[in-house]
Amino acid sequence: MAITRFAPYRDVVSLQNRLNSLFQDFNQSQAGTDPVVAAAFVPPVDVYEDEHKVVLKLEVPGLKREEIDIQLDNHTLTVRGERKFEKEEKQENFHRIERRYGSFYRSFTLPNTLNTEQVKADYDAGVLRVEVEKRAEAKPRQIKVEVGSAAPRVENQPAA
């Protein structure tokens, strides 16, 4: 059995270091150094693929199609937008505000197996769907195996 020295303040120092790290990350995000952390909200995304394409579905309800910016640069797909808080002229007494407002930024690195010239985007019912086609060489191929088409091989015959 190993003997461990008792350090009563070890946990307190660890907690202080973690809190300092948290506040340092928060201060950096407020300065605008990291656009992902500085974003007001991060829309959830589903990414899946089939044999012909890769599909990304982002939930961005409450936005108009014109408020979404999609860019593809050097195999990096970037989706940006902003959901604005709508103020009315009359004074309202909010009891709770749970929806997130502000700008968002999502970036995805696409593999080289995708054809970045074949990208489609569709926006319906608050869901942005981006499809990127696979290159022909990346798609699976069916190879047909012929039965009995090869000539029978005979052993121990001298070469002619």
Side-chain angles (χ1 to χ4, degrees), residues 78-93:
T78 305
V79 180
R80 296 178 184 185
E82 183 175 2
R83 185 163 47 197
K84 297 177 182 169
F85 185 74
E86 300 169 1
K87 289 185 177 180
E88 293 187 14
E89 294 295 322
K90 62 181 182 176
Q91 191 70 12
E92 295 183 5
N93 294 325

Side-chain angles (χ1 to χ4, degrees), residues 27-147:
N27 288 335
Q28 287 177 353
S29 71
Q30 293 299 320
T33 56
D34 188 4
V36 175
V37 176
F41 73 98
V42 180
V45 63
D46 293 336
V47 180
Y48 63 91
E49 70 176 299
D50 62 17
E51 60 187 37
H52 302 291
K53 64 189 173 294
V54 172
V55 179
L56 294 90
K57 286 185 173 181
L58 286 93
E59 287 185 4
V60 285
L63 291 177
K64 297 176 184 159
R65 187 181 57 172
E66 304 84 30
E67 296 173 332
I68 300 171
D69 179 33
I70 304 170
Q71 295 184 5
L72 182 63
D73 183 31
N74 197 19
H75 288 283
T76 301
L77 178 73
T78 305
V79 180
R80 296 178 184 185
E82 183 175 2
R83 185 163 47 197
K84 297 177 182 169
F85 185 74
E86 300 169 1
K87 289 185 177 180
E88 293 187 14
E89 294 295 322
K90 62 181 182 176
Q91 191 70 12
E92 295 183 5
N93 294 325
F94 284 99
H95 293 279
R96 183 179 301 227
I97 297 177
E98 292 185 352
R99 295 176 45 205
R100 298 280 185 149
Y101 297 94
S103 62
F104 68 89
Y105 172 92
R106 293 297 304 258
S107 181
F108 306 93
T109 302
L110 302 177
N112 292 333
T113 58
L114 297 179
N115 184 358
T116 56
E117 301 298 320
Q118 295 290 324
V119 180
K120 299 176 191 172
D122 181 77
Y123 183 64
D124 185 36
V127 177
L128 174 67
R129 178 185 171 101
V130 180
E131 292 183 6
V132 185
E133 294 288 327
K134 290 185 178 180
R135 295 183 187 274
E137 60 269 12
K139 293 180 182 178
R141 294 182 295 156
Q142 181 75 24
I143 300 172
K144 187 174 182 181
V145 178
E146 298 290 331
V147 178

